[in-house]
Amino acid sequence: MSAIKNALKAAKAALDAHQYDTAIENSTKVLAEEPKHYHANVFLGLALGKKGRNGESEKAYRAAASTKPNDPLAWQGLISLYEQQGVHKLEDYREAVAHLASIFVEACVIWKELYEGVCRQLIVLESRDDKTRCQTVVDKYTDFARKCGSRAQYRHSLEFVLPGSDLYEYLEGRLPHPSHTYTRISEIVEQDEKEKINFEIGQRRTRLGAKIDQVTAEVKKEVLQGSVLESLYQHVIDWTDDDDTRRLYEEKLLQHAYDTLLVLPQAQKNGKREEVIRLAQGMVIIKHPFALAWKINLEWKDIERLGELDVGVLREYVELFPEEGLSKVLQGYLESEVSVLPARAVDQDGNQDDEHSVPIMTVEDRLVLMADGLEDSPNSVLAHRIMSEYYLFLDEHESAAETARKAQRHVVTDSQTSGLPLANNSDAINILLGTALVQYQAPRHHPEARSLFESILVRKPANGSVLLGIGLILEEQEELHQAVDFFERAMKKAPSTMIRAEAAWCRALGGDYPRGLEELEDCLPSVEAPDLRTTALKAQILYRIGMCLWDMDHSKSSRRDRNKSYARFISALQTDANFAPPYTMLGIYYADYAKDRARARKCFQKAFELSSSEVVAAERLARSFAKTSEWDLVEVVAQRVVESGRLRPAPGSKKKGISWPFAALGVVQLNKQEYAKSIVSFQSALRISPKDYYSWVGLGECYHNSGRYIAATKAFEQAQKLERELGSEVLGDTWFSKYMLANVQRELGEYDAATGKYEEILNVRAKEYGVSISCLQTSIESAWRNMDLGFFGRAIDNVQQALSIAKDVVTWSPNAFNLWKCISDLYSVYTYVQSHSTDISVQDMKWLLEYESDPEVYSHLADVDQITWSAFESVIESKDTDVVLRSCLYAAILAQKRALGCCAHDPYARATAWYNLGWTEHRAYACQRDAGSGSEKGSMQYLKAAVQCFKRAIELESRNAEFWDSLGIVTSQLNRRVAQHAFVRSLYLNEKNARVWTNLGVFYLIEGDIQLANDSFARAQSVDPDHAQAWLGQGLLAAQLGESSESRTLFTHAFDISNASAIQIQQSYASSTLDHLLSSPAISDEAVTLLQPLLALRRLSKQTRISISCEHIYALFQERIGSYADASTTLLSICSKLEADYEKSESAETLERFAQSKADLSRSQLAEEDFESAADNAETALALTEETTTSAIRVRTRLTAHLSAGMACYYQGSMDRSIDMFKNALEETQEDPDIVCLLAQVLWAKGGGQERSIAREQLFDCMEKHPGHVGTILLLGVIAVLDDDRDIVEAVSDDLHSLRTRDDLNSQQHKQLAQILHAISVLYPAKEGRALTQMSEARTAVMLGPSKPYGWSQLANLSDEVHPAEMAVLGAVSKAPPRGDSSAEDISEVYARTRRVEDIQKAIMLAPWSPLGWRNLPQL
């Protein structure tokens, strides 16, 4: 025991001497003997703590505390240890402080119990000392938590000393006041909740599909539902002694409760709502100026009438919050005449008996104040409800409806916020909205208003406002008996003069005028009050009395009587000068009965100014403005009526709609060329009045002017249907719709139908200029269209028809610009179809131009183009071969000059006239240039005249892109700089014109700038891919660069998308196609390839005098399709022209072309079997080409001539001469294999043994030099069969079989090959026998050529089956022209082999000269 004490003393001494290791050693010795020794553990803990061994120190202190829990020494050591470690041990620190404080509290209690009454003074002293130490510990811990801990730890340290704990009672008076502690805790919780809400919102808003409003509500709900702030606020309120603090935390408590209510689901709102209302009412009772409390108290009251509100509370709110929006609204309402709440007391002097009185405001000031208040309180239901009611009182129905709609939305929001149904508020606002909609733009909104009223009537069947509203709606819908019933029900609920008057008026409208008049007059005595509303009602009653008198007697004398209706209308205006309907009736009185138009117009204007609902006055005004062409005023009137909303009746109403304002708007917009708007207006009119004839006509005209021709056609057809239904007695003159329909058909290209309708109108209105000119223009447009399609005869028929119309029009309107423009066009047509120019009458031409004309009119540009009236007379009297063409050109130019004289006072028309004259001059230049050699110089006068015309047109209208383009075209040959400038200027004005880009490309092509030309053509193609001239230019460019394949493709595409009048395109296409045929023998005889260029050249020959080269190409195409007679005729014409040309020029080139034409002519005559002429022409060609020149044309010409002469001599029987020709051809062509084959055939045909031997030798030599030549192999096979030479047959058979797989054989060679192989299989069968050999040969032919008819035909001959014959028919028919070259005999033969009667009949019909069909027919 003494050792323990010594060790403890030593440990204590070591601690005092700061020898902590010694203290640890001695304390450890004690604990080794007595592990639970209290002081040893305390000393050990202290020493270890000083050495920084905190964990071991804490363990020692804990051991000591467990030994003596109520001894403060160990706990004080722990507190010191934890304080040294900082924030990491703050929770343990709190625990230690709690234990130590509890020790002090328990010690105080024990002292009181043990020494109560013994030594009170000693107890007080000891207790005071312990409290001081306890307070020190607590204060030190709290201060440490504030400095080092988190907000939550600091909050926990504050909660340690809150009321309700033993420590608070022990240290009461020594701790801060609870209100301060609760305030600090609440501030900490406020900050924590705010940070948590912001953090969670920031985290969750980044999730997929998250919406910020939804996320915010969810987070606030989670945080606020678990919040302790309301409890803390209540504690602050309960403990604080400061009124300002209490009021502040009452506000915070209400705001927090309100915010919590907002985010709670509907099922959980009840309890919280009651709490919010209780808090708000408490603040209102004590008049605390917290706006939220007052608004909750006012806005959440579910009242049916505003009179149920506490006026005292309202006035207190106004006094407390004078700048609030709701306060301003309430202030104006409480002082207004519409208020149902008691007004302030007023003394005898008119002053308000109130210390808070305000000056009395005017109506205008009050309305401004309330409007500002409503703007400042955008979410207040009460403010919107009051303002809507006030707007209704002022008859501002639009504002009332708009305000009530906003109030509807706010009521829903408040109901969702508070969880209250607010049914009375909602019904009251719906009644206000329905009442406003009854009057606003009636009857547009009547269905909505009636729906609102009927929904309220289910819950409140006796509501007078609802019954009155439904009655007014039924009155407007002319459901008069039902309306009277509702008015009577409303009278029972709330009797009023207004309702009695409405009921009486309904009876009058229903036809019971005496009773209605009597009841209206009974209402007059009760409307004598001087207020505004009563005055308006009295004016209305007087007006309706006047209307009853007006409608009771329709006689003129009664209506003229100024003591009847007139007097009542005047009285109504004297009562209320701003009541519009009496002005309308007075206007009708002055217009129809007093015959005073000036007064009538003033009355109508006044009525319409006062009310846009006065539709009758508006219609009268619109008609009067339309008569004076004041279209802007018509538009204003019609637009205002449309905006009034009175045009369309409500669904189910008996009242008819009013369509004339829409029709008037349509007419005005049509005059302004606003076609889209006009279409909408006419469609609106027709929805109201489907049988409005003039609206259909107007709609059709709008569709026509906007390019919607199909829709226009339907509109005019509907108008004509109404014409038939209603008749001319109702509609009057209706020719205009037929005229417009004809215009539409003209735009659609239905020229015949359009012309027919024009003629129908002219049969009735013979001298209608517009119709006559339209008919004339349509005929000319039809002529141009037929020219484009290649129907030149139809085009001339159209011109003749136009000419007859022009001859008629010129007799009664000779000075019309469009007339002479059309006359010029119809004569220009003849210059494009020169083959029909002989059909024109020169005398008619002269009569037309001479009719009422002044020769001076034709003198424009006479010094340039030399075309005058005398020059025209000289031309038509001359005997030249081209007199008709020149007459047409002169007539076209003179007609354009006369058109120029007809528009002297219109600069724009004059510009167009110069432009038209310029193109006519250019056409004359083109025709004279193409007429032949020697005309180029003489035609320049027309080109110069065209330049002058286009310049003058540009002077008059410089921003017209077409004029600049035309100037560029005509100056391309005269001045390149001017031409380029003109093209660029045209593109500057309109860069999306493909024609100008093409013209610029041609200009660059002529100048040799390949790159710019290509760019221009490409730009033209991008602007308009269907512009054929751009593709032609690209093709010419490719041809210039030597890209023949590319140029042919471009020419073909240009031809495909062009019209039949494109001369250059047709020439280029035909020429490129011929070059392609010459370079590709395999397709040279395909009908499809030949057909299109042949037709193009045929059309070209009809249109103009084509060049000799083009005519020669035409002859070659005719020859290739087998039209040998036409080819011979064409070539004879070419030879005669070339001969005449050679006689003038003696050109070697002309002589060479003449020889070539003679050679081609001999070939065509040979095909016609005119052998003598063929031989003569061939010899002529040979004689003309005997010179030693080696040009390619000479070589081809001599080869053609030798072959033609050889064949002609052969068929004439001159074998020797024929053989000589072929030999000469061989020499000149270095033994061409084709010529060798021809020579061998002639030698064989001569029949001599020597000749046949020579033929064999020639063929064998050719076979050696040209091993794969088809003709040689075929001839050797034939000769071998004819000679019956098996060795040669076997030698040639392999070559013949190899030919089957080659692709360069044409159909004729395939047929010859099949025939030879068939003959070989018959004459030289294999070992298996003749039948099997023939069958094998036929099957092989079918396998190698299943689409060819030859193999199937052989198989059909060898088999009794029908299938091979049917396949032969399919093959032959599929190769029929233009898809192939199967002849009529080929198709007839395969039909005949099917052994069916119908097929044999087809065979005989296809080739009646073929014997096979006739032979097979008797067998069946």
Side-chain angles (χ1 to χ4, degrees), residues 218-230:
E218 290 177 355
V219 171
K220 284 187 175 182
K221 176 185 173 184
E222 294 174 5
V223 174
L224 295 180
Q225 273 189 307
S227 175
V228 297
L229 271 178
E230 293 183 25

Side-chain angles (χ1 to χ4, degrees), residues 20 24 43-58 61 81 84:
Y20 302 117
I24 293 171
F43 292 158
L44 179 60
L46 178 60
L48 290 170
K50 293 297 183 179
K51 294 294 288 182
R53 297 161 65 179
N54 296 329
E56 297 176 17
S57 175
E58 180 182 1
Y61 280 134
L81 179 66
Q84 292 174 9

Side-chain angles (χ1 to χ4, degrees), residues 131-341:
K131 287 183 179 180
T132 302
R133 286 184 303 212
C134 182
Q135 180 185 355
T136 302
V137 171
V138 172
D139 290 345
K140 193 174 182 181
Y141 162 66
T142 304
D143 189 57
F144 182 79
R146 179 178 61 81
K147 291 179 179 179
C148 301
S150 65
R151 283 200 300 268
Q153 291 170 334
Y154 180 45
R155 170 188 164 190
H156 291 156
S157 71
L158 293 175
E159 291 173 349
F160 195 61
V161 293
L162 286 176
S165 64
D166 295 337
L167 184 60
Y168 175 78
E169 295 179 1
Y170 177 61
L171 297 177
E172 186 174 5
R174 293 174 176 269
L175 296 175
H177 193 275
S179 64
H180 297 161
T181 305
Y182 279 119
T183 300
R184 187 62 186 135
I185 293 174
S186 66
E187 291 173 354
I188 294 173
V189 175
E190 283 176 0
Q191 193 169 1
D192 287 344
E193 288 187 358
K194 183 177 180 181
E195 291 181 358
K196 183 177 182 181
I197 289 173
N198 292 336
F199 176 77
E200 289 296 330
I201 290 174
Q203 288 290 318
R204 299 186 190 185
R205 68 183 298 178
T206 59
R207 297 175 182 173
L208 291 176
K211 297 180 180 179
I212 184 64
D213 295 339
Q214 183 179 356
V215 168
T216 302
E218 290 177 355
V219 171
K220 284 187 175 182
K221 176 185 173 184
E222 294 174 5
V223 174
L224 295 180
Q225 273 189 307
S227 175
V228 297
L229 271 178
E230 293 183 25
S231 174
L232 293 172
Y233 291 153
Q234 189 62 52
H235 284 305
V236 174
I237 294 168
D238 294 341
W239 283 97
T240 187
D241 296 328
D242 185 9
D243 289 341
D244 292 339
T245 303
R246 182 179 295 108
R247 297 291 175 261
L248 174 63
Y249 277 88
E250 284 176 349
E251 291 176 5
K252 287 188 174 184
L253 176 59
L254 176 59
Q255 186 67 56
H256 192 277
Y258 179 76
D259 292 341
T260 305
L261 179 65
L262 292 181
V263 298
L264 286 176
Q266 292 294 326
Q268 301 176 14
K269 284 183 181 287
N270 292 338
K272 182 60 70 175
R273 181 183 66 249
E274 296 301 327
E275 179 185 351
V276 170
I277 292 174
R278 177 181 57 78
L279 293 171
Q281 287 178 344
M283 290 187 178
V284 171
I285 291 172
I286 64 174
K287 300 182 181 179
H288 177 59
F290 184 49
L292 177 61
W294 288 84
K295 288 182 179 178
I296 289 172
N297 185 263
L298 294 176
E299 301 284 357
W300 288 7
K301 285 189 179 297
D302 190 20
I303 55 175
E304 188 172 354
R305 296 179 300 104
L306 292 177
E308 299 176 18
L309 291 171
D310 186 344
V311 67
V313 173
L314 297 180
R315 295 192 187 280
E316 289 170 358
Y317 177 77
V318 172
E319 293 167 4
L320 290 173
F321 308 98
E323 297 303 320
E324 288 286 334
L326 178 59
S327 177
K328 294 177 182 179
V329 174
L330 288 172
Q331 182 181 345
Y333 175 73
L334 292 173
E335 304 303 326
S336 69
E337 58 271 47
V338 74
S339 175
V340 295
L341 296 170

Side-chain angles (χ1 to χ4, degrees), residues 782-846:
S782 180
W784 289 115
R785 165 60 76 77
N786 285 323
M787 278 183 54
D788 290 343
L789 297 176
F791 301 136
F792 303 120
R794 295 182 186 177
I796 296 303
D797 292 340
N798 294 136
V799 170
Q800 295 292 346
Q801 183 182 13
L803 187 59
S804 64
I805 299 171
K807 289 166 65 178
D808 175 61
V809 176
V810 77
T811 59
W812 48 270
S813 183
N815 296 319
F817 167 78
N818 287 332
L819 170 65
W820 294 105
K821 167 66 169 60
C822 293
I823 291 174
S824 175
D825 288 344
L826 67 89
Y827 285 127
S828 296
V829 172
Y830 283 105
T831 68
Y832 288 92
V833 191
Q834 297 178 15
S835 61
H836 292 270
S837 58
T838 55
D839 297 341
I840 195 167
S841 171
V842 177
Q843 296 305 318
D844 288 344
M845 185 188 303
K846 181 179 180 181

